[in-house]
Amino acid sequence: MYFFLNSLALSDLCYTSTVTPKLVTDLLAESNMISYTGCMTQLFAMHFFGGIEVLILTGMAYNRYVAICQPLHYAVVMSRQRCYAVVTACCAGAFRHSFVQCLLTINLPFCGPNEIDHYFCDVYPLLKLACTDTYRVGILVVANSGTMGLVTFVVLMLSYLLILYTVKAYPAESRGKALSACSSHITVVVLFFVPVVFIYIRPATTLPEDKVFALFYTIIAPMFNPLIYTLRNTEMKNALRKVWCQKPFLLGRHII
């Protein structure tokens, strides 16, 4: 579990770093210019690290499924080599997804005005600026992003349906522990996947609400992921409880 959490934290850091620094700089400097090369680089990096996060969340769901539904086989099924293989596959799948997104976008002709109705470079706003028919490209973009998002979301839901079916036979105490272990992951999945599904599993159009939904999966979800997993971790909660319950030390007449 901690191996996948480390990988998720690293992907969160890289993912939000593709958008947040540029956004903050633009707000402070009141400048909202980005070069064509910078735009394509941001597009590739965002979909690459976002794809890694999507696939790692799916791998974490499978990890929980094995831990709860096949506990005696867990050490064999989720060995260290298997965990490395899962993360490597996540990176390879994300690279393939991001490469296709950029390949579909980089050849589009832009005649101006080159004003993106978004706070970062994404495929749908760029398709809106292209001075050519983007119907076929839009279908390919939806097939690439939508299929990836939908398939991983279905796999996640199936994993948790199987977990719920399995824990029905557990005693009440064991059932509560199993569901508590899954609650943090479910919260992160909902925060991240619901906006992603809303934006990418639909025809290639832009809506005014897109920027609000994009905030959830680019900034809010990566920011809250460490807090969600930390506050649901029993060891961390016990450590924080010990810190809060410590008595103050006396140094002369001063209390700290």
Side-chain angles (χ1 to χ4, degrees):
M1 182 183 69
Y2 290 109
F3 175 80
F4 285 112
L5 284 178
N6 288 335
S7 303
L8 181 65
L10 181 60
S11 66
D12 276 336
L13 179 63
C14 296
Y15 180 51
T16 193
S17 296
T18 63
V19 176
T20 307
K22 175 63 177 171
L23 175 61
V24 174
T25 303
D26 290 345
L27 292 175
L28 294 177
E30 297 183 357
S31 171
N32 52 3
M33 301 290 292
I34 186 170
S35 65
Y36 178 80
T37 303
C39 184
M40 292 298 110
T41 303
Q42 187 183 57
L43 174 67
F44 178 85
M46 193 197 71
H47 281 274
F48 176 63
F49 293 114
I52 291 177
E53 180 161 358
V54 167
L55 295 174
I56 284 180
L57 286 172
T58 308
M60 291 174 68
Y62 177 72
N63 175 66
R64 308 222 173 207
Y65 161 75
V66 176
I68 294 174
C69 300
Q70 302 177 14
L72 298 180
H73 297 235
Y74 180 80
V76 176
V77 175
M78 298 304 297
S79 62
R80 178 65 66 175
Q81 292 78 10
R82 185 70 57 83
C83 291
Y84 282 123
V86 169
V87 173
T88 303
C90 291
C91 295
F95 180 83
R96 176 259 172 202
H97 162 74
S98 184
F99 180 78
V100 172
Q101 292 291 82
C102 287
L103 189 64
L104 293 172
T105 309
I106 201 168
N107 293 320
L108 292 175
F110 299 102
C111 309
N114 296 332
E115 183 176 346
I116 302 174
D117 186 21
H118 217 305
Y119 62 89
F120 63 90
C121 290
D122 203 2
V123 180
Y124 288 173
L126 290 174
L127 290 179
K128 188 177 179 180
L129 296 181
C131 52
T132 185
D133 184 15
T134 59
Y135 178 74
R136 293 183 180 179
V137 176
I139 292 177
L140 294 175
V141 169
V142 172
N144 185 34
S145 296
T147 302
M148 180 179 177
L150 184 61
V151 169
T152 52
F153 188 71
V154 169
V155 171
L156 283 165
M157 292 300 101
L158 286 176
S159 298
Y160 280 106
L161 286 175
L162 291 173
I163 289 174
L164 290 175
Y165 179 78
T166 302
V167 299
K168 285 196 306 182
Y170 286 11
E173 183 179 355
S174 299
R175 190 187 310 127
K177 289 182 179 179
L179 295 177
S180 177
C182 296
S183 60
S184 55
H185 188 251
I186 293 175
T187 304
V188 170
V189 166
V190 171
L191 276 176
F192 187 83
F193 268 91
V194 170
V196 168
V197 169
F198 173 79
I199 289 181
Y200 291 106
I201 305 182
R202 70 168 197 232
T205 57
T206 57
L207 299 174
E209 298 84 6
D210 286 353
K211 285 178 279 189
V212 177
F213 279 93
L215 278 173
F216 279 90
Y217 64 82
T218 57
I219 297 176
I220 295 177
M223 181 177 65
F224 278 102
N225 281 355
L227 292 175
I228 293 171
Y229 282 109
T230 298
L231 295 178
R232 295 299 305 175
N233 185 280
T234 304
E235 296 175 1
M236 183 61 70
K237 287 192 291 187
N238 291 336
L240 291 175
R241 194 177 292 114
K242 290 179 181 178
V243 171
W244 291 335
C245 295
Q246 283 183 348
K247 295 182 179 180
F249 297 96
L250 292 176
L251 293 178
R253 295 185 179 182
H254 301 285
I255 299 178
I256 62 170

